[in-house]
Coordinates of all heavy atoms in Angstrom, one line a residue:
Chain A
V37 N -10.9 -6.1 17.6 CA -11.7 -4.9 17.5 C -11.1 -4.0 18.6 O -10.7 -4.5 19.7 CB -13.1 -5.2 17.7 CG1 -14.0 -4.0 17.8 CG2 -13.7 -6.2 16.6
R39 N -11.7 -0.2 21.0 CA -12.6 0.9 21.3 C -11.8 2.0 22.1 O -11.3 1.7 23.2 CB -13.8 0.4 22.2 CG -14.8 1.6 22.5 CD -16.1 1.1 23.1 NE -17.0 2.3 23.2 CZ -18.2 2.2 23.7 NH1 -18.7 1.1 24.1 NH2 -19.0 3.3 23.7
G44 N -16.5 4.7 19.4 CA -17.3 3.5 19.3 C -16.4 2.3 18.9 O -15.1 2.4 18.8
L45 N -17.0 1.1 18.7 CA -16.2 0.0 18.3 C -15.7 0.2 16.9 O -16.3 0.7 16.0 CB -17.1 -1.3 18.2 CG -17.7 -1.7 19.6 CD1 -18.6 -2.9 19.3 CD2 -16.6 -2.2 20.5
W47 N -13.4 -1.9 14.0 CA -12.8 -3.2 13.7 C -11.3 -3.0 13.2 O -10.9 -2.0 12.6 CB -13.5 -3.8 12.4 CG -13.0 -5.1 11.9 CD1 -13.2 -6.3 12.4 CD2 -12.2 -5.3 10.7 NE1 -12.5 -7.3 11.6 CE2 -12.0 -6.6 10.6 CE3 -11.7 -4.4 9.7 CZ2 -11.2 -7.2 9.5 CZ3 -11.0 -4.9 8.7 CH2 -10.8 -6.2 8.6
E59 N -7.2 -9.9 6.8 CA -7.6 -8.6 6.3 C -7.5 -7.6 7.4 O -7.7 -8.0 8.6 CB -9.1 -8.7 5.8 CG -9.4 -9.7 4.7 CD -8.9 -9.4 3.4 OE1 -8.3 -8.2 3.2 OE2 -9.2 -10.1 2.4
Y60 N -7.3 -6.4 7.1 CA -7.0 -5.3 8.0 C -7.8 -4.0 7.7 O -8.1 -3.8 6.5 CB -5.5 -4.9 8.0 CG -4.6 -6.0 8.4 CD1 -4.0 -6.8 7.4 CD2 -4.3 -6.2 9.7 CE1 -3.2 -7.9 7.8 CE2 -3.4 -7.2 10.0 CZ -2.9 -8.0 9.1 OH -2.0 -9.1 9.4
A61 N -8.1 -3.3 8.7 CA -8.7 -2.0 8.5 C -7.6 -1.1 7.8 O -6.4 -1.3 8.1 CB -9.1 -1.4 9.9
D62 N -8.1 -0.1 7.1 CA -7.1 0.8 6.4 C -6.1 1.5 7.4 O -4.9 1.6 7.0 CB -7.9 1.8 5.6 CG -8.6 1.3 4.4 OD1 -8.2 0.2 3.9 OD2 -9.5 2.0 3.9
R100 N -18.4 -16.4 14.0 CA -19.4 -17.5 13.9 C -19.0 -18.6 13.0 O -19.4 -19.7 13.2 CB -20.8 -17.0 13.6 CG -21.4 -16.0 14.4 CD -22.9 -15.8 14.0 NE -22.9 -15.2 12.8 CZ -23.4 -15.7 11.6 NH1 -23.7 -17.0 11.7 NH2 -23.5 -15.1 10.4
Y104 N -15.4 -14.7 8.1 CA -15.7 -13.3 8.6 C -17.2 -13.0 8.6 O -17.5 -11.8 8.2 CB -14.9 -12.3 7.7 CG -15.3 -12.5 6.2 CD1 -16.5 -11.9 5.6 CD2 -14.4 -13.2 5.3 CE1 -16.8 -12.1 4.4 CE2 -14.7 -13.2 4.0 CZ -16.0 -12.8 3.4 OH -16.2 -12.9 2.1
H105 N -18.0 -13.8 9.0 CA -19.4 -13.6 9.0 C -20.1 -12.9 10.2 O -21.2 -12.8 10.3 CB -20.2 -14.8 8.6 CG -19.8 -15.3 7.2 ND1 -20.3 -14.7 6.1 CD2 -19.0 -16.2 6.7 CE1 -19.9 -15.2 5.0 NE2 -19.0 -16.2 5.4
G106 N -19.2 -12.5 11.1 CA -19.7 -11.8 12.3 C -19.3 -12.4 13.6 O -19.1 -13.7 13.7
M107 N -19.0 -11.6 14.6 CA -18.4 -12.0 15.9 C -19.6 -12.5 16.7 O -20.7 -11.9 16.8 CB -17.8 -10.8 16.6 CG -16.7 -10.2 15.8 SD -17.6 -8.8 14.8 CE -16.2 -8.1 14.0
D108 N -19.3 -13.6 17.5 CA -20.4 -14.1 18.4 C -20.0 -14.2 19.9 O -20.8 -14.4 20.7 CB -21.0 -15.4 18.0 CG -20.0 -16.6 17.9 OD1 -18.8 -16.3 18.1 OD2 -20.5 -17.8 17.8
W110 N -17.0 -12.6 22.6 CA -16.0 -11.5 22.8 C -15.3 -11.7 24.1 O -15.8 -12.2 25.2 CB -16.7 -10.2 22.8 CG -17.4 -9.8 21.6 CD1 -18.6 -10.3 21.2 CD2 -17.1 -8.7 20.7 NE1 -18.9 -9.7 20.0 CE2 -18.1 -8.7 19.7 CE3 -16.0 -7.8 20.7 CZ2 -18.0 -7.7 18.7 CZ3 -16.0 -6.8 19.6 CH2 -17.0 -6.9 18.6
G111 N -14.0 -11.2 24.1 CA -13.3 -11.1 25.4 C -13.6 -9.7 26.0 O -14.4 -8.9 25.4
Chain B
Y37 N -24.9 -5.7 18.1 CA -24.1 -5.9 19.3 C -24.5 -4.9 20.3 O -24.8 -3.7 20.0 CB -22.5 -5.8 19.1 CG -22.1 -6.8 18.0 CD1 -22.0 -6.4 16.7 CD2 -21.8 -8.1 18.3 CE1 -21.6 -7.3 15.7 CE2 -21.4 -9.0 17.4 CZ -21.3 -8.6 16.0 OH -21.0 -9.5 15.1
H39 N -22.7 -3.0 23.8 CA -21.5 -2.9 24.5 C -21.7 -1.9 25.6 O -22.0 -0.8 25.4 CB -20.3 -2.5 23.7 CG -19.0 -2.6 24.4 ND1 -18.0 -1.8 24.1 CD2 -18.6 -3.4 25.4 CE1 -16.9 -2.0 24.9 NE2 -17.3 -3.0 25.6
P41 N -19.2 -0.3 28.3 CA -17.8 -0.3 28.7 C -17.5 -0.9 30.0 O -18.2 -0.8 31.0 CB -17.5 1.2 28.8 CG -18.5 1.9 27.8 CD -19.7 1.0 27.9
G42 N -16.4 -1.7 30.0 CA -16.1 -2.5 31.2 C -16.5 -3.9 31.2 O -16.2 -4.7 32.0
T43 N -17.4 -4.3 30.1 CA -17.9 -5.6 29.9 C -17.6 -6.1 28.5 O -17.2 -5.2 27.6 CB -19.4 -5.7 30.1 OG1 -20.1 -4.9 29.1 CG2 -19.8 -5.1 31.5
A44 N -17.7 -7.4 28.3 CA -17.6 -7.8 26.9 C -18.8 -7.6 26.1 O -19.9 -7.6 26.5 CB -17.4 -9.4 26.9
P45 N -18.6 -7.1 24.8 CA -19.7 -6.9 23.9 C -20.6 -8.2 23.8 O -20.0 -9.3 24.0 CB -19.1 -6.5 22.6 CG -17.8 -5.9 23.0 CD -17.3 -6.7 24.2
L47 N -23.5 -10.3 21.4 CA -24.2 -10.4 20.2 C -25.7 -10.5 20.4 O -26.2 -11.3 21.2 CB -23.8 -11.7 19.5 CG -24.5 -12.1 18.2 CD1 -24.2 -11.1 17.1 CD2 -24.1 -13.5 17.7
F50 N -27.9 -11.9 14.5 CA -27.0 -12.2 13.3 C -27.8 -12.7 12.1 O -29.0 -13.0 12.2 CB -26.0 -13.3 13.8 CG -26.6 -14.6 14.0 CD1 -26.6 -15.6 13.1 CD2 -27.1 -14.9 15.3 CE1 -27.1 -16.9 13.4 CE2 -27.7 -16.2 15.6 CZ -27.7 -17.1 14.6
D51 N -27.1 -12.7 11.0 CA -27.8 -13.1 9.8 C -29.1 -12.3 9.6 O -30.2 -12.8 9.2 CB -28.1 -14.6 9.7 CG -27.0 -15.5 9.4 OD1 -25.9 -14.9 9.1 OD2 -27.0 -16.7 9.4
D86 N -24.4 0.9 24.7 CA -24.2 1.4 23.3 C -24.5 0.2 22.4 O -24.1 -0.9 22.6 CB -22.7 1.8 23.1 CG -22.4 2.9 24.1 OD1 -23.2 3.9 24.2 OD2 -21.3 2.9 24.7
Y88 N -24.5 -1.4 18.4 CA -23.8 -1.3 17.1 C -24.3 -2.3 16.1 O -24.5 -3.4 16.4 CB -22.3 -1.6 17.3 CG -21.6 -0.7 18.3 CD1 -21.6 -0.9 19.6 CD2 -20.9 0.5 17.8 CE1 -20.9 0.0 20.5 CE2 -20.3 1.3 18.6 CZ -20.3 1.1 20.0 OH -19.7 2.0 20.8
W92 N -20.0 -7.1 6.8 CA -18.7 -7.2 5.9 C -19.0 -6.2 4.8 O -20.1 -6.2 4.2 CB -18.5 -8.6 5.4 CG -17.2 -8.7 4.6 CD1 -17.1 -8.8 3.3 CD2 -15.9 -8.8 5.2 NE1 -15.7 -8.9 2.9 CE2 -15.0 -8.9 4.1 CE3 -15.3 -8.7 6.5 CZ2 -13.6 -8.9 4.3 CZ3 -14.0 -8.8 6.6 CH2 -13.1 -8.9 5.6
S97 N -13.2 -5.0 1.6 CA -12.7 -6.3 2.2 C -12.4 -6.1 3.6 O -11.3 -6.4 4.1 CB -11.5 -6.8 1.4 OG -11.8 -7.2 0.2
Q98 N -13.3 -5.4 4.4 CA -13.2 -5.1 5.7 C -14.5 -5.3 6.5 O -15.6 -5.1 5.9 CB -12.7 -3.7 5.9 CG -11.3 -3.4 5.3 CD -11.0 -1.9 5.4 OE1 -11.5 -1.1 6.2 NE2 -10.1 -1.5 4.6
W99 N -14.5 -5.7 7.7 CA -15.7 -5.6 8.5 C -15.9 -4.1 8.9 O -15.0 -3.4 9.2 CB -15.5 -6.4 9.8 CG -16.8 -6.5 10.7 CD1 -17.1 -5.6 11.6 CD2 -17.9 -7.4 10.6 NE1 -18.4 -6.0 12.2 CE2 -18.8 -7.1 11.5 CE3 -18.1 -8.5 9.6 CZ2 -20.0 -7.8 11.7 CZ3 -19.3 -9.2 9.8 CH2 -20.2 -8.9 10.8
F101 N -18.4 -1.3 11.3 CA -19.4 -1.1 12.3 C -20.1 0.2 12.1 O -19.5 1.1 11.4 CB -18.8 -1.0 13.7 CG -18.3 -2.4 14.3 CD1 -16.9 -2.7 14.3 CD2 -19.2 -3.3 14.8 CE1 -16.6 -3.9 14.9 CE2 -18.8 -4.5 15.3 CZ -17.5 -4.8 15.4

Side-chain angles (χ1 to χ4, degrees):
Chain A
V37 175
R39 186 167 185 182
L45 294 177
W47 178 78
E59 302 285 2
Y60 298 92
D62 287 343
R100 296 188 296 107
Y104 55 78
H105 294 283
M107 309 85 177
D108 65 346
W110 298 70
Chain B
Y37 304 92
H39 188 211
T43 68
L47 176 67
F50 66 97
D51 282 354
D86 300 317
Y88 298 88
W92 186 257
S97 290
Q98 299 174 19
W99 184 269
F101 285 110

